[in-house]
């Protein structure tokens, strides 16, 4: 089959099934279905933040607002969490692990998963550099996945791009904010689940 | 038989005879303190009893009955040492026992697994030979019957005990002993045959109680003995060791022993105290407080292992001590609709490990301090119940939280002066360069003017692709990238 034929076939498929071929990254101004912020116990999920100001902190804020019996563990890969932005009341439901290196963060997440006492662990690699992200071997994610399954704790990795192989759930942050959102408007967390959209398109 | 009594006969005297190596057939007696002429005998051995010598007899009379009688003065030091040895011996036999008198120990045999009572008695007598003290063992269905049996030589029936001997032993209240002897009662079995009610009416309730004891109707509880340093063990390495693996190997076994002792006493470990003694004379002492009382040697060993990973030995280790501080085990009724920690001790151990990875002061529950200075925070230590003091809100939380750059990145910013402040126009260096589309500010902040004062002007700026960052302008003319509104 020639290259031209393949291109033609792809175009026909794209025209026939536009939802299945939609770019997971949102088109500006287009409204996308909102995905709920729920994570299954014993599973590894990934939240991708393709742009730096797309609402990754709002995820932490939302999770801290939820009433839970045990606190949320935040493994902060770049030591970037700002308690003043959240308020003391919310921070009472948080265990903050301040890491200075990605390697430390992975180690801490591994320990907390192995311990299995806390139900939800947030591994924040949002501001980690591309070079450091590339140094995380894929086998390590498999190890974390197995640890999560054995301990029953949910691990949520917040990353700037797709790096976790086969997560249970992958969400993409699609928020776009302006200076008005800092004071005047209330920013709303915008999460998009490409998998569910693909499924919806197929259906 | 549920109870055994170990009676070290005439302990104050026999310990002196054992110390001097005196043969058992030598008649010997212990003198009372005070003037020798007015003294009397406080204890006599079996060889002396054959000459009709008994405790309470005047020394001169004793010598008159046996000229070869060896008279010894009491030695409190030797006696105390012998009592400690007998106590340690009994403690090695059973977990629960009562120190009835310094000479007699009542043992609860219900927790022991034994082939037969005869074997156990023979084995116990055999294992006590190193003490070189005369030991009489009595068994009984009640503690008092076992005690009475132990007072009889050669493990005979407790009811065969002579009333005169029982009176001299002073272990049971025996009023009107002379009346009983006048009635012709020689042994305890003679007393047991009398009607209880008549005995109580004529001679009082104490004899009625002895009557009940003889019939096995009186069953009292043991007053269990608990040593103060019962949960402490010491191990000496010969030769000294350089790594902590041998220590962990030994500690695993010793912690199991200590936990068994705690379990027998219905206690749990609240903390673990470790002392390492090094060859250069240095010592390392550490108190490891457990988040929840435990009886698990594995949980204790895990805490110990985590701590030992952080210890740098200045020299080879010659000795170590382990001590468990007992407390009542925790019996908590868990909430039906509330989830708690599965294993608080493991969690505490995990926190210690995390702290070891990230360093001290970098793990905890954050809260903001009462200041306007940016990024001044405090971390509360994590408790098992996650309770932290309620700190009032200092500043309102921002709508879009900030991700801080720690430490702030110094950058070059193209700016122009408008009034008192520099207005940013474009970021020239740093990770995010480009023209500024919109800016909010300045927000001047200052404080601590009474000491080393600080001041800065904050700006929130929007770059291309809706990137929101926070800048700080510090005099003189320095710009910092302090965070990203993520």
């Amino acid at each position: 089959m020639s290259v031209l034929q393949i291109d033609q076939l792809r175009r026909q498929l794209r025209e026939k099934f536009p939802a299945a071929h939609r770019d997971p990254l949102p088109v500006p101004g287009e409204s996308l279905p909102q995905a709920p912020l729920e994570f299954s116990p014993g599973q590894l999920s990934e939240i991708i933040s393709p742009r730096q100001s797309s609402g990754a902190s709002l995820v932490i804020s939302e999770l801290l607002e939820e009433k839970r019996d045990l606190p949320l563990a935040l493994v902060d890969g770049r030591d970037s969490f700002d308690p003043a932005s959240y308020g003391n009341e919310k921070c009472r439901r948080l265990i903050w692990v301040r890491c200075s290196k990605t390697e430390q963060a992975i180690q801490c997440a591994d320990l907390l998963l192995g311990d299995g006492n806390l139900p939800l662990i947030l591994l924040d690699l949002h501001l980690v550099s591309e070079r450091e992200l590339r140094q995380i071997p894929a086998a390590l994610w498999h190890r974390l996945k197995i640890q999560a399954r054995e301990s029953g704790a949910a691990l949520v990795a917040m990353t700037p791009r797709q790096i976790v192989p086969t997560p249970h759930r992958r969400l993409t942050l699609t928020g776009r904010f302006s200076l008005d959102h800092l004071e005047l408007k209330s920013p709303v967390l915008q999460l998009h689940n490409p998998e569910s959209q693909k499924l919806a398109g197929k259906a | 038989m549920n109870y055994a009594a170990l009676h070290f006969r005439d302990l104050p005297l026999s310990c002196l005879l054992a110390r001097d190596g005196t043969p058992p057939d030598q008649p010997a007696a212990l003198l009372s303190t005070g003037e020798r002429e007015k003294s009397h005998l406080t204890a006599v051995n079996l060889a002396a009893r054959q000459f009709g010598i008994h405790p309470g007899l005047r020394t001169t009379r004793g010598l008159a009955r046996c000229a070869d009688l060896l008279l010894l003065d009491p030695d409190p030091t030797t006696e105390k040492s012998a009592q400690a040895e007998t106590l340690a011996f009994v403690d090695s036999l059973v977990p629960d026992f009562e120190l009835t008198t310094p000479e007699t120990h009542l043992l609860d045999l219900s927790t022991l697994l034994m082939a037969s009572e005869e074997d156990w008695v023979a084995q116990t007598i055999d294992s006590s030979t190193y003490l070189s003290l005369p030991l009489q063992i009595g068994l009984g269905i009640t503690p008092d019957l076992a005690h009475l049996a132990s007072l009889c030589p050669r493990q005979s029936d407790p009811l065969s005990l002579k009333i005169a001997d029982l009176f001299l032993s002073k272990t049971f209240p025996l009023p009107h002993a002379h009346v009983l002897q006048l009635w012709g009662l020689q042994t305890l079995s003679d007393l047991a045959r009398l009607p209880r009610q008549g005995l109580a009416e004529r001679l009082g309730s104490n004899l009625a109680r002895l009557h009940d004891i003889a019939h096995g109707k009186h069953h009292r509880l043991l007053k269990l003995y608990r040593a103060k340093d019962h949960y402490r063990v010491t191990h000496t390495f010969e030769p000294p060791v350089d790594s902590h693996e041998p220590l962990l190997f030994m500690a695993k076994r010793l912690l199991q022993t200590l936990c068994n002792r705690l379990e027998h006493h219905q206690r749990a470990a609240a903390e673990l105290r470790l002392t390492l003694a090094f060859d250069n004379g240095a010592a390392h002492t550490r108190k490891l407080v457990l988040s929840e009382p435990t009886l698990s040697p594995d949980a204790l060993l895990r805490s110990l292992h985590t701590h030992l990973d952080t210890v740098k030995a200045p020299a080879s280790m010659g000795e170590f001590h382990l001590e468990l501080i007992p407390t009542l085990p925790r019996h908590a009724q868990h909430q039906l609709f509330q989830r708690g920690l599965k294993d608080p001790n493991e969690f505490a151990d995990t926190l210690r490990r995390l702290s070891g990875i990230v360093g001290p002061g970098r793990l905890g529950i954050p809260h903001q301090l009462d200041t306007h200075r940016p990024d001044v925070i405090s971390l509360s230590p994590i408790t098992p119940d996650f309770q932290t003091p309620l700190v009032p809100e200092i500043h309102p939380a921002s709508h879009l939280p900030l991700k801080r750059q720690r430490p702030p990145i110094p950058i070059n910013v193209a700016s122009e002066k408008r009034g008192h402040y520099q207005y940013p126009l474009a970021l020239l260096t740093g990770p995010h360069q480009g023209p500024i589309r919109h800016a909010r500010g300045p927000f001047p902040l200052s404080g601590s003017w009474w000491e080393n004062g600080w001041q800065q002007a904050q700006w929130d700026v929007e770059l291309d692709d809706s990137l929101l960052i926070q800048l700080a302008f510090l005099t003189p003319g320095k710009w910092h990238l302090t965070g990203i509104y993520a």
Side-chain angles (χ1 to χ4, degrees), chain B residues 410-421:
Chain B
I411 53 170
N412 291 330
V413 176
S415 60
E416 65 175 10
K417 190 159 186 178
R418 295 180 198 167
H420 291 291
Y421 297 100

Side-chain angles (χ1 to χ4, degrees), chain B residues 89-100:
Chain B
F89 170 68
V90 176
D91 192 26
S92 69
L93 297 175
V94 285
D96 295 325
F97 66 93
E98 177 189 279
L99 182 59
T100 315

Side-chain angles (χ1 to χ4, degrees), chain A residues 18 22 30 49 61 63 93 108 138-139 143:
Chain A
R22 190 176 293 174
E30 187 182 3
S49 182
S61 184
L63 290 173
R93 297 188 282 274
C108 291
R143 179 189 158 85

Side-chain angles (χ1 to χ4, degrees), chain A residues 53 69 80 88 115 124 183, chain B residues 339 368 403-404 440 485:
Chain A
S53 292
D69 297 330
S80 60
N88 287 333
D115 176 75
D124 188 359
E183 200 169 312
Chain B
R339 186 176 168 182
Q368 192 190 359
K403 279 194 174 252
R404 281 212 170 268
R440 276 174 76 235
Y485 290 102

Side-chain angles (χ1 to χ4, degrees), chain A residues 102-123:
Chain A
T102 312
E103 190 190 350
Q104 271 186 4
I106 299 282
Q107 246 180 315
C108 291
D110 186 47
L111 264 178
L112 282 166
L113 279 178
D115 176 75
N117 275 295
L118 296 180
L120 181 58
I121 298 148
L122 204 56
L123 174 61

